[in-house]
């Protein structure tokens, strides 16, 4: 299943520090690694948050690891402490847990560790006709591994199915298994542009999904984790938090429909009320010209900003430039400060603004912040945010007393309130979309916050009808759907050639056996005229 492979220099240093009794260093390290492996699988069985999945983190009690990890030497030194003190730690804490809050530390593996996924290999010293026997053995090994992983991830599966709580706990995905297998082969053999850490993370996620799908006949179960903010999240690896290439590999051929510029479109639904309250002699198009341009002519709007920020001599590829701008406008839409400065928090740590985290190059960051299109967009967004926050204070003052909508100091947080309102509105409008799709006999394959995935492309009439329902039932004329085609992951040319060679070898083997049987039958008198 999963092995923790440790850099040899760890055992070398440990054996030098504790040479007696013989082999004690190896036994101690083996025990520690086995303990860590068990805790890794326990973390996997509990599920991971989207944050943990994205950063490849695991929930592990460092206190428990230190206790269970064993001791070494005459003075009974805890091996966990010795590794840490000698710069040979196998895990590092990203967030420290607390007994007071009941939280467990979030840890990442250090560069001294490689996570190795056990995959049985077909031996090459057998004749190809016996490949059927080897493949059967391989499938049996895979089935055993898949069952073990499934039982770790879903210890309550049988009970939930029996007592009728399955749909409350899980959403089911249909997985294109062969597409996912092709993607994993590509990651292992051809993906060259990922860092080792990111590649390991992507492989880990893909193999988890594949193991479950192989055990269930193509199904993957996402454990529901509803948020008080209104969204439905999932614990652990899910279609929501994997990268887009893996999502495509999981789902195969299908179409994804998402709300275009969803948070901006939602806020513009209140623009008419804002104008009536603050500028009764003006029109919406006059007061929110930048936002309307962003919604209706987004490509041209972003292109203008891109030219100002990056020019023609940027080291960033064009696709990466657009990715940074998309992240920046999304952050601004959710109330991020239009600033590139950092500030110091109570514990002494320095925190970057969202914009500073996105634009690492100072000159690019300043050009973005000072661009007149960005400034106009931000001013209009701030006007709508202030208006919405004031409306909440008047109409729903009790909402501001909710702890999760407050700052650390206990004051209502405008950005959290805006996010809360938006995510509930997002859920409402996506329910309209799902209901309409049901009436059109379209099956929703997956839900991704402000997007849904269906098998077949919607006709122009169906898409238009759904948009009209979104607008009419919510009173917001700015909702629009964007469409993206997802294609299953096909074997690469390299993989295809490899399969052709194996196929020819198998056929040659079958032909040899057939010739052998023909000779035997001839000697027995069959086939004679």
């Amino acid at each position: 299943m999963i092995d923790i492979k440790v850099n040899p220099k760890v055992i070398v240093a440990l054996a030098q520090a504790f040479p007696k009794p013989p082999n004690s260093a190896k036994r101690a390290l083996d025990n520690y690694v086995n303990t860590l492996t068990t805790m890794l699988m326990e973390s996997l069985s509990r599920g991971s948050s989207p944050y943990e999945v994205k950063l490849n983190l695991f929930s592990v009690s460092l206190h428990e690891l230190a206790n269970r990890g064993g001791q070494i030497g005459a003075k009974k030194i805890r091996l966990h402490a010795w590794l840490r003190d000698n710069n040979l730690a196998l895990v590092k804490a990203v967030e420290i847990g607390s007994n007071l809050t009941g939280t467990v530390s979030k840890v990442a593996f250090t560069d001294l560790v490689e996570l190795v996924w056990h995959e049985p290999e077909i031996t090459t010293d057998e004749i190809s006709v016996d490949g059927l026997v080897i493949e059967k053995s391989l499938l049996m090994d895979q089935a055993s591994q898949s069952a073990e992983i499934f039982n770790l991830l879903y210890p309550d599966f049988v009970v939930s199915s029996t007592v009728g709580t399955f749909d409350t706990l899980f959403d089911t995905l249909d997985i294109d298994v062969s597409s996912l297998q092709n993607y994993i082969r590509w990651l292992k053999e051809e993906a060259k542009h990922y860092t080792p850490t990111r590649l390991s993370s992507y492989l880990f996620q893909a193999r988890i999904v594949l193991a479950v799908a192989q055990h269930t006949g193509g199904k993957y179960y996402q454990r529901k984790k509803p948020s008080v903010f209104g969204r439905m999240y999932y614990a652990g690896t899910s279609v929501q938090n994997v990268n887009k290439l893996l999502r495509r590999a999981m789902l195969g051929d299908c179409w994804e429909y998402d709300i275009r510029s969803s948070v901006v479109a939602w806020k513009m639904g209140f623009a008419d009320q804002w104008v009536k309250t603050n500028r009764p002699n003006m029109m919406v198009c006059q007061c929110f010209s930048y936002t309307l341009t962003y919604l209706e002519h987004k490509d041209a709007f972003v292109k203008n900003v891109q030219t100002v920020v990056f020019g023609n001599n940027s080291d960033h590829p064009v696709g990466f430039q657009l990715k940074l701008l998309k992240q920046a406008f999304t952050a601004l839409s959710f109330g991020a400060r239009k600033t590139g400065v950092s500030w110091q928090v109570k514990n002494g740590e320095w925190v970057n603004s969202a914009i500073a985290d996105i634009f690492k190059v100072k000159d690019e960051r300043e050009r973005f912040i000072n661009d007149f299109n960005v400034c106009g967009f931000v001013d209009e967004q701030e006007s709508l945010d202030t208006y919405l926050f004031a409306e909440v204070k008047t109409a729903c003052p009790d909402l501001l007393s909710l702890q999760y909508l407050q700052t650390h100091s206990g004051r209502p947080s405008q950005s959290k309130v805006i996010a809360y309102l938006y995510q509930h509105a997002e859920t409402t409008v996506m329910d309209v979309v799902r209901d309409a799709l049901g009436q059109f006999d379209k099956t929703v394959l997956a839900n991704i916050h402000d997007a849904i995935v269906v098998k077949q492309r919607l006709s122009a009439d169906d898409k238009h009808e759904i948009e009209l329902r979104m607008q009419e039932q919510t009173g917001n004329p700015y909702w629009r759907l964007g469409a993206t085609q997802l294609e299953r992951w096909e074997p690469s040319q390299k993989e295809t050639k490899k399969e052709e060679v194996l196929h020819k070898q198998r056929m040659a083997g079958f032909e040899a056996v057939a010739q052998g049987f023909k000779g035997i039958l001839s000697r027995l008198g069959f086939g004679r005229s």
Side-chain angles (χ1 to χ4, degrees):
M1 210 162 53
I2 300 175
D3 272 352
I4 293 177
K5 184 178 179 182
V6 180
N7 190 303
K9 76 177 187 179
V10 177
I11 186 59
V12 170
L14 191 61
Q16 289 175 347
F18 302 96
K20 297 180 180 180
N23 217 31
S24 60
K26 183 179 184 305
R27 287 196 301 271
L29 185 60
D30 286 347
N31 174 69
Y32 182 81
V33 170
N34 288 337
T35 300
L36 185 55
T37 302
T38 300
M39 297 182 73
L40 167 62
M41 296 311 298
E42 289 172 351
S43 172
L44 178 63
S45 69
R46 290 192 297 268
S48 307
S49 67
Y51 167 69
E52 290 170 329
V53 172
K54 182 177 181 180
L55 299 182
N56 205 22
L57 304 180
F58 300 93
S59 297
V60 171
S61 169
L62 295 178
H63 177 73
E64 187 176 353
L65 176 60
N67 287 333
R68 290 169 55 182
Q71 301 171 335
I72 192 169
K75 296 183 179 180
K76 303 296 183 183
I77 300 172
R78 294 188 188 279
L79 183 55
H80 179 78
W82 187 90
L83 293 172
R84 179 196 62 210
D85 296 341
N86 288 273
N87 296 319
L88 294 171
L90 305 188
V91 294
K92 57 184 177 182
V94 177
E95 288 186 11
I96 301 294
S98 169
N99 288 332
L100 296 176
T101 60
T103 56
V104 178
S105 296
K106 299 187 192 311
V107 305
F109 286 95
T110 68
D111 293 335
L112 297 173
V113 170
E114 178 185 359
L115 294 182
V116 180
W117 191 279
H118 258 315
E119 290 177 308
E121 296 181 356
I122 300 178
T123 58
T124 57
D125 57 346
E126 299 284 346
I127 61 172
S128 57
V129 73
D130 289 335
L132 290 176
V133 176
I134 295 172
E135 289 174 8
K136 181 178 179 182
S137 172
L138 174 63
L139 289 173
M140 288 173 63
D141 289 339
Q142 288 179 335
S144 175
Q145 289 184 8
S146 297
E148 187 175 353
I149 292 172
F150 183 86
N151 291 333
L152 278 167
L153 289 174
Y154 310 103
D156 53 346
F157 182 84
V158 174
V159 173
S160 66
S161 301
T162 303
V163 301
T165 59
F166 179 85
D167 290 337
T168 304
L169 296 177
F170 301 103
D171 272 342
T172 303
L173 279 181
D174 288 319
I175 301 299
D176 187 330
V177 173
S178 62
S179 170
L180 185 53
Q181 290 172 323
N182 292 335
Y183 171 76
I184 291 174
R185 292 191 191 100
W186 175 79
L187 282 178
K188 291 169 59 181
E189 299 176 8
E190 299 183 52
K192 306 298 183 185
H193 55 290
Y194 294 130
T195 64
T197 299
R198 188 171 293 275
L199 181 62
S200 175
S201 175
Y202 289 169
L203 276 169
F204 185 84
Q205 293 174 340
R207 283 160 166 162
I208 287 293
V209 176
L210 179 61
V212 173
Q214 286 176 326
H215 180 72
T216 61
K219 305 293 184 183
Y220 183 74
Y221 304 112
Q222 302 177 118
R223 188 181 296 276
K224 294 180 180 180
K225 192 176 181 181
S227 166
V228 293
F229 275 66
R231 278 180 171 173
M232 177 61 73
Y233 290 98
Y234 301 110
T237 301
S238 76
V239 72
Q240 292 178 350
N241 56 33
V242 298
N243 68 80
K244 290 184 178 181
L245 295 183
L246 176 51
R247 181 185 301 166
R248 164 190 155 194
M250 290 165 59
L251 298 176
D253 292 329
C254 54
W255 285 82
E256 180 178 318
Y257 290 88
D258 66 316
I259 304 176
R260 292 168 53 186
S261 307
S262 56
V263 67
V264 179
W266 167 70
K267 281 195 278 188
M268 275 302 293
F270 299 92
D272 187 59
Q273 296 172 238
W274 185 95
V275 170
K276 290 177 180 177
T277 302
N278 297 280
R279 301 284 192 275
N281 297 323
M282 299 180 68
M283 300 174 66
V284 169
C285 61
Q286 295 173 298
C287 298
F288 295 97
S289 59
Y290 291 98
T291 302
L292 284 172
T293 302
Y294 179 82
L295 284 176
E296 297 172 3
H297 308 285
K298 187 174 181 178
D299 289 344
F301 185 93
V302 173
K303 181 63 178 177
N304 288 336
V305 178
Q306 181 185 10
T307 301
V308 172
V309 175
F310 299 104
N312 297 319
N313 300 315
S314 174
D315 293 332
H316 302 315
V318 173
F320 185 69
Q321 295 175 18
L322 294 173
K323 180 179 179 180
L324 293 181
L325 292 173
K326 178 181 178 181
Q327 292 175 351
F329 278 110
T330 299
L332 294 174
S333 301
F334 277 104
R337 305 181 188 182
K338 193 194 69 173
T339 176
V341 301
S342 303
W343 61 91
Q344 196 170 23
V345 293
K346 289 183 178 180
N347 63 4
E349 294 182 359
W350 286 88
V351 178
N352 288 333
S353 69
I355 300 302
D357 272 337
I358 295 168
F359 296 102
K360 306 296 185 184
V361 180
K362 182 180 178 181
D363 290 344
E364 294 172 352
R365 183 166 64 245
E366 291 183 349
R367 287 196 290 269
F368 177 81
I369 290 170
N370 294 316
D371 176 65
F372 76 93
N373 284 302
V374 174
C375 292
F377 177 83
V378 170
D379 287 344
E380 292 173 4
Q381 292 299 296
E382 288 179 349
S383 295
L384 289 170
D385 289 347
T386 301
Y387 172 78
L388 287 168
F389 192 55
E391 287 294 299
V392 170
K393 286 181 178 179
T394 302
C396 309
D398 292 344
L399 200 62
L400 304 180
S401 63
L402 297 175
Q403 187 175 2
Y404 50 82
L405 297 183
Q406 297 176 350
T407 64
H408 292 300
S409 62
R411 291 178 297 178
S413 167
Q414 178 172 299
S415 61
K416 290 181 179 180
V417 169
I418 298 300
Y420 177 91
L421 296 175
Y422 163 69
Q423 290 186 23
H424 276 82
E426 174 193 82
T427 299
T428 298
V429 73
M430 292 309 295
D431 284 342
V432 174
V433 176
R434 283 183 281 268
D435 181 66
L437 289 170
Q439 294 181 26
F440 297 157
D441 292 325
K442 303 291 185 182
T443 301
V444 176
L445 302 180
N447 296 286
I448 312 169
H449 304 318
D450 63 349
I452 49 90
V453 180
V454 293
K455 194 65 179 175
Q456 292 85 21
R457 183 178 187 176
L458 297 177
S459 68
D461 288 343
D462 285 349
K463 179 174 174 291
H464 181 62
E465 174 62 24
I466 292 173
E467 288 176 337
L468 284 178
R469 294 189 187 189
M470 294 165 67
Q471 296 164 10
E472 291 172 356
Q473 294 183 35
T474 64
N476 184 339
Y478 298 99
W479 295 127
R480 299 286 190 281
L481 288 176
T484 303
Q485 183 178 12
L486 303 182
E487 296 180 325
R488 72 186 311 274
W489 204 277
E490 299 292 352
S492 66
Q493 188 174 10
K494 177 180 177 181
E495 184 65 28
T496 301
K497 290 180 178 178
K498 179 180 175 182
E499 288 296 326
E500 288 176 355
V501 171
L502 292 174
H503 177 70
K504 289 179 180 178
Q505 290 175 348
R506 285 194 294 269
M507 292 302 101
F510 290 138
E511 179 66 22
V513 172
Q515 291 295 333
F517 275 117
K518 183 177 180 182
I520 293 172
L521 293 172
S522 177
R523 291 196 298 273
L524 292 175
F526 291 95
R528 295 176 182 171
S529 57

